[in-house]
Amino acid sequence: MIVTTTPFSARVRAASAGAHETAESQRYVSALLAGELDLAGYADLVVQHHAIYAALEAAGDRLRDDPLAGPFVDAALIRLPALEADLAHLVGPDWADRTVRTPATVAYVDRIREVCADSPERFIAHHYTRYLGDLSGGLHIGRSVVRHYGLDDGAGVAFYRFDDIPRPKVYKDAYRARLDALPLDEATANALLEEVLVAYQHNTDVFAALAGHVPAGGGIDATAAVA
């Protein structure tokens, strides 16, 4: 009798498929990809990303020597300097004094700080949700932003460039292999899976909070468009 075990990375992907689709189908995302926002509408997303990645990368700094989380902390993924360069271009050198985090972003940041302090598996959940998303759909978003918002000189979209990861698919495959190799008992595995869903919900909430940038009649929900 042959017994097959589902790789943990496949379990994570299957468990979060619905939440992933919900996040991607938000009106703000549809409008961003269609070029329906003004530049300020895009810049507001960069503001929220800066707060989120500041919290996530600070957690990574603290956990880089942790046996479970440490192997996922990689300088090639760091986004904070790119986000600061993007904000300086989009808003100005005084961007920190002229931008505001939404309550949804504050809640997301608070969650990262709360659970990553003493739960490396939950840190991995947030790390996975953000960075593998950046290396997948995020690259598509970056190309759309360049095309629609007049940023073809590269300024304002540094967040979407991974200069030290020339082959994203190869990197993602290796990342999933690290997930599969994690020495997790069932309780720890379930905590990681649960936190991935929490992370996706926070992402959805952030996009929903930015929906005010969508012009009337714009950003048609992706599921509605199919129906």
Side-chain angles (χ1 to χ4, degrees):
M1 179 177 178
I2 299 175
V3 178
T4 60
T5 302
T6 302
F8 185 63
S9 61
R11 287 180 61 189
V12 175
R13 188 170 186 173
S16 61
H20 188 181
E21 182 178 349
T22 298
E24 287 188 335
S25 65
Q26 293 300 300
R27 293 176 67 246
Y28 175 87
V29 178
S30 300
L32 177 68
L33 291 172
E36 295 171 353
L37 307 178
D38 58 18
L39 195 59
Y42 162 62
D44 204 2
L45 176 62
V46 184
V47 171
Q48 312 315 313
H49 276 164
H50 180 272
I52 294 161
Y53 283 87
L56 185 58
E57 292 176 4
D61 284 342
R62 293 191 297 273
L63 290 169
R64 66 175 59 254
D65 295 324
D66 181 86
L68 202 67
F72 293 88
V73 180
D74 184 355
L77 292 171
I78 296 298
R79 299 290 86 200
L80 204 55
L83 286 163
E84 291 173 352
D86 289 344
L87 286 168
H89 175 77
L90 294 166
V91 182
D94 57 345
W95 61 266
D97 298 322
R98 297 172 53 200
T99 56
V100 177
R101 299 179 297 171
T102 69
T105 297
V106 172
Y108 193 175
V109 167
D110 287 347
R111 179 67 182 186
I112 291 171
R113 290 172 175 166
E114 173 191 354
V115 301
C116 294
D118 57 7
S119 178
E121 65 273 17
R122 291 183 186 270
F123 165 78
I124 294 169
H126 285 279
H127 193 277
Y128 164 87
T129 305
R130 292 286 354 159
Y131 292 113
L132 248 63
D134 295 336
L135 289 169
S136 299
L139 296 180
H140 170 63
I141 291 173
R143 289 190 292 269
S144 295
V145 169
V146 167
R147 183 168 67 252
H148 290 305
Y149 299 97
L151 300 170
D152 51 1
D153 61 354
V157 288
F159 172 75
Y160 298 102
R161 293 197 307 272
F162 289 84
D163 295 336
D164 295 326
I165 304 178
R167 301 170 67 191
K169 183 182 184 304
V170 172
Y171 190 95
K172 290 187 294 181
D173 288 345
Y175 190 108
R176 293 189 182 101
R178 287 197 295 276
L179 283 176
D180 294 338
L182 285 171
L184 304 176
D185 58 30
E186 196 60 22
T188 307
N190 286 336
L192 196 159
L193 289 167
E194 173 188 86
E195 196 64 28
V196 168
L197 297 181
V198 172
Y200 272 118
Q201 183 59 58
H202 278 296
N203 276 283
T204 298
D205 293 344
V206 169
F207 288 139
L210 296 173
H213 289 290
V214 180
I220 302 300
D221 180 271
T223 55
V226 172

